[in-house]
Amino acid sequence: MNMLPVEHDDRAFANAQQFLLLAKRFWTTRLHESLRADYDAGALAVETDKPKVIANPEVSASVEIFSWLERHLQRQKYAGRYGLQHWLARDRDVHEAWLSRESAHAQTAGRLRLNPGCPVPSEFAAVDIHQHPGGVWQDPLAGMVYERGARTTTPMAGERHLDLHERLTGQLVADNGAPARLIDLGCGFGKSTRALYRHLPDCKVIAVDVATPCLMLAAAQANEDQADNIQYRQADARDCGEPNGSAELVTSTMLLHEMPAIHLPALFAECWRVLKPGGTMRHLDFLPSVQPREDAFLQWLHLGHARRNNEAFMAELLTVDLVSELTEIGFVDVSIEAFEEADNALSPEHPYWRFPWATVFARKPV
Amino acid sequence: MSVDQDLTPVGKPGAASPQGPVTGLVNPAPEQTFFADPAMDRLFGVLLNLSSEVFVLREQCAAMQSQLEASGVLQSVPMKSEPTPDEQATRAASQQAFVDHLLEPLLGTQLTKGVPQTGAK
């Protein structure tokens, strides 16, 4: 029997993370349902982004507990005693050596192109997004920590957490057929990118991000996949380095809300620049206003999530008139729609907390 | 009665305070608060830590019991290399049930039919 202290016991870490996931499921289902029922019954209102208890003082306790738990489950997941940061750092030397080997191999194979001179935007470095200690851009292990954390971001999905990205890939192909060349902006550790290059084997995929740790992990996965149609590049999404009019498709997943709203025009202008005439773009992100059951309660959930999860620019995105911005650049067929990340997720009767997934679509005219 | 959410800005800088024990963050900012009494926020933190430790202990005990049974100390059972899908499903259901039980009080609902409340405490 292994009697090592828990600090060295992988099973203890795995079990503690499992507890946090199961607690998050409780929060996603029963606590959320309880609060929603309070709102629907008129016991809870939301005024200017602040919840207000109308009828039942006990409802205030539910609000407090719901909010506290969201904040602290995430905090424990990353930075607690059994947090992902601590867990992976125990074997730092092993992980860093692996990442270096894989990175070197990926660069030789043309799957990775790093640019050490690529600056990390100051606002990106100023906040530990998602309560991830140190953020995703400096510690060499940050990509691995981020990837582990992302497996349980959607607690109801379980082992099927990758399904969302497969669905998005399917929608991208339905937009405009299978592209010959696509650019995935703000790719992170490649969670969405992997679905793209695997399901579009005849497509050259260029995936761009500023964070070295994430790109190295993404490239390691591409090595394992022996994928020859993907290249990860270190670059700012607003200046991706691709030639003018070179891509049939530009995409991003959860990028728009990770940058200040004032940078969006430059991002969309870059999309315009690299798209071929007739090319399309689709950005997946979070927009409550297009959800089937959009109300003040949903707004409060979302804005509260932004504060509780260290999402510095998530609220700003909601103030942007994306349709106008894109139309002004010259895009046509602009549409913003709710995205069904799982079966029946968009049903008005869907009882559980979910991200307000939505896609922003536009076409560069011929 | 209005319940205001804490609007502490997101970010790293904060008042001088000891270095964080796990993350090494220097001068960590005060944590967001959600309860009318900030002591409740801290108490809940201890509670969450305890719950996590109990879950870990419970799983370790289950693993120890399984090994003791397999080696004949507790009872004789065939040695299995891996849990079957049914055993995995049973274990997963047991874990979720335990966590649901642990957190049930957060719902603030009665388990029995009580006397209708008049407002007096």
Side-chain angles (χ1 to χ4, degrees):
Chain A
M1 174 67 189
N2 180 10
M3 292 301 290
L4 287 173
V6 294
E7 288 81 2
H8 300 283
D9 187 344
D10 268 338
R11 182 169 44 214
F13 278 96
N15 285 332
Q17 288 289 323
Q18 176 72 355
F19 167 76
L20 294 172
L21 171 63
L22 296 179
K24 189 68 185 285
R25 276 200 198 140
F26 180 90
W27 176 91
T28 298
T29 55
R30 299 182 68 185
L31 268 180
H32 173 263
E33 282 181 285
S34 172
L35 261 186
R36 169 55 85 169
D38 287 334
Y39 179 83
D40 290 343
L44 176 69
V46 177
E47 296 178 1
T48 60
D49 182 34
K50 287 188 170 60
K52 181 177 177 182
V53 174
I54 300 295
N56 184 349
E58 273 71 39
V59 173
S60 68
S62 296
V63 169
E64 292 165 347
I65 288 166
F66 181 88
S67 306
W68 187 95
L69 207 55
E70 180 177 23
R71 172 83 180 166
H72 284 265
L73 287 177
Q74 182 77 351
R75 170 181 157 141
Q76 292 290 60
K77 177 164 122 172
Y78 276 101
R81 183 187 183 209
Y82 299 105
L84 297 172
Q85 175 89 350
H86 191 162
W87 189 0
L88 288 169
R90 288 164 47 238
D91 296 309
R92 175 174 291 280
D93 291 345
V94 170
H95 294 316
E96 287 195 25
W98 175 77
L99 283 168
S100 289
R101 278 197 310 274
E102 291 296 322
S103 176
H105 173 52
Q107 290 182 82
T108 302
R111 297 185 183 112
L112 176 65
R113 206 167 79 186
L114 292 176
N115 174 15
C118 176
V120 174
S122 58
E123 61 275 357
F124 189 61
V127 175
D128 289 348
I129 60 167
H130 313 146
Q131 298 189 66
H132 178 154
V136 302
W137 57 279
Q138 47 184 348
D139 183 341
L141 302 190
M144 296 179 73
V145 172
Y146 191 12
E147 189 274 332
R148 286 304 294 252
R151 296 183 197 180
T152 55
T153 299
T154 48
M156 302 307 292
E159 295 297 315
R160 303 187 62 181
H161 63 97
L162 294 172
D163 282 6
L164 176 154
H165 307 283
E166 314 268 328
R167 284 171 178 251
L168 177 64
T169 301
Q171 186 166 32
L172 294 171
V173 173
D175 286 342
N176 213 19
R181 192 176 183 86
L182 79 85
I183 302 169
D184 188 26
L185 299 175
C187 62
F189 60 83
K191 194 173 183 186
S192 260
T193 320
R194 187 167 184 240
L196 294 170
Y197 69 70
R198 291 177 75 204
H199 291 284
L200 301 170
D202 298 323
C203 176
K204 179 65 178 179
V205 179
I206 306 295
V208 163
D209 203 278
V210 296
T212 306
C214 293
L215 290 166
M216 290 175 73
L217 181 63
Q221 182 65 69
N223 285 344
E224 184 179 323
D225 293 335
Q226 296 185 6
D228 292 322
N229 61 329
I230 171 65
Q231 186 179 77
Y232 287 102
R233 293 191 192 164
Q234 188 166 22
D236 192 305
R238 296 166 293 173
D239 184 15
C240 70
E242 280 292 281
N244 296 348
S246 59
E248 285 89 1
L249 173 63
V250 172
T251 184
S252 75
T253 299
M254 294 183 277
L255 172 65
L256 303 186
H257 76 266
E258 300 287 8
M259 58 174 56
I262 56 170
H263 290 171
L264 289 175
L267 176 74
F268 295 140
E270 180 70 348
C271 295
W272 175 273
R273 184 186 70 76
V274 299
L275 277 172
K276 290 180 177 178
T280 59
M281 65 178 188
R282 193 175 281 276
H283 303 277
L284 178 66
D285 215 282
F286 306 131
L287 294 165
S289 62
V290 297
Q291 301 305 315
R293 198 177 178 183
E294 197 275 331
D295 55 21
F297 181 75
L298 183 63
Q299 286 279 339
W300 169 69
L301 284 180
H302 187 63
L303 293 174
H305 170 79
R307 279 194 299 274
R308 294 187 282 265
N309 207 37
N310 286 13
E311 296 276 14
F313 311 112
M314 187 175 272
E316 273 183 48
L317 178 62
L318 307 190
T319 67
V320 178
D321 185 344
L322 292 167
V323 174
S324 295
E325 279 208 17
L326 292 170
T327 305
E328 273 177 33
I329 294 172
F331 284 105
V332 298
D333 300 337
V334 179
S335 71
I336 303 175
E337 299 170 343
F339 178 79
E340 191 173 57
E341 77 277 13
D343 290 343
N344 301 315
L346 294 183
S347 164
E349 284 74 43
H350 182 82
Y352 307 139
W353 178 91
R354 58 179 284 273
F355 284 108
W357 295 101
T359 60
V360 179
F361 172 85
R363 185 185 303 274
K364 182 174 179 177
V366 173
Chain B
M1 180 174 117
S2 187
V3 179
D4 286 345
Q5 293 291 290
D6 176 67
L7 296 177
T8 305
V10 173
K12 281 196 285 191
S17 53
Q19 191 174 48
V22 173
T23 65
L25 188 66
V26 179
N27 295 331
E31 180 56 275
Q32 295 180 18
T33 54
F34 301 95
F35 294 99
D37 181 356
M40 283 284 290
D41 289 83
R42 301 180 192 190
L43 192 62
F44 255 74
V46 172
L47 195 60
L48 189 63
N49 281 348
L50 265 176
S51 300
S52 177
E53 296 292 348
V54 168
F55 187 95
V56 168
L57 277 173
R58 184 173 178 267
E59 294 301 307
Q60 285 186 314
C61 283
M64 287 172 64
Q65 181 174 349
S66 177
Q67 291 205 350
L68 287 170
E69 285 172 351
S71 63
V73 175
L74 288 183
Q75 81 183 65
S76 180
V77 294
M79 179 73 78
K80 292 177 188 160
S81 59
E82 277 185 23
T84 64
D86 279 350
E87 286 168 339
Q88 286 179 356
T90 302
R91 187 91 213 122
S94 168
Q95 289 175 340
Q96 185 68 69
F98 173 75
V99 173
D100 285 351
H101 157 71
L102 203 65
L103 301 180
E104 178 78 37
L106 295 180
L107 297 174
T109 54
Q110 294 190 22
L111 294 180
T112 55
K113 215 185 304 183
V115 176
Q117 294 189 5
T118 59
K121 295 216 173 187

